[in-house]
Each structure stands twice: as C-alpha cells, then as structure tokens.
Amino acid sequence: YQRTGADRTGRVGIDFGVYGVPETFVVDHNGKIQMKFIGPVDRNALDTQILPKVKALQAAVPPQTAAPK
C-alpha cells in the first residue's frame, strides 16, 4: 500500500459510510472515494477488482497532479 490510515475516533468511518469490517477503500488523488470493497482482501479480489481500479485511476491522473512517491 502506498498509504494507509487509522480512524482512532471513528469519525472518518462514519463519513465514509463504513458499516462493517473489513472494508477497503480506493481513494483518488482528489480524496474522493472511487471504490469500496467489503470483505477480506484475498489474491483474487486484489487482482481482479482492486488493482485494476487503482491502475485505471493512476493512468487517468495527469503527471503534475500525481501524489509524490
């Protein structure tokens, strides 16, 4: 993962609409949620759902707006 976060107060979870765990969110360079995956992330989910979304978002971002590595 490039970035991960902790919601120590539970406020972000409420804002994101979290209702169960585990949940994985793919967030774009503007901070907008582009995908919500509910359930444990296994190799199949990563390869067929999450990574394709991440790669599509990365390809759509102009280089000057991409997050620094």
Side-chain angles (χ1 to χ4, degrees), residues 13-43:
I14 292 168
D15 292 343
F16 281 5
V18 173
Y19 61 88
V21 293
E23 291 178 314
T24 300
F25 295 86
V26 176
V27 181
D28 70 15
H29 71 284
N30 291 315
K32 182 178 177 186
I33 297 171
Q34 293 293 328
M35 178 184 182
K36 179 179 178 180
F37 182 86
I38 301 170
V41 176
D42 60 15
R43 187 86 231 170

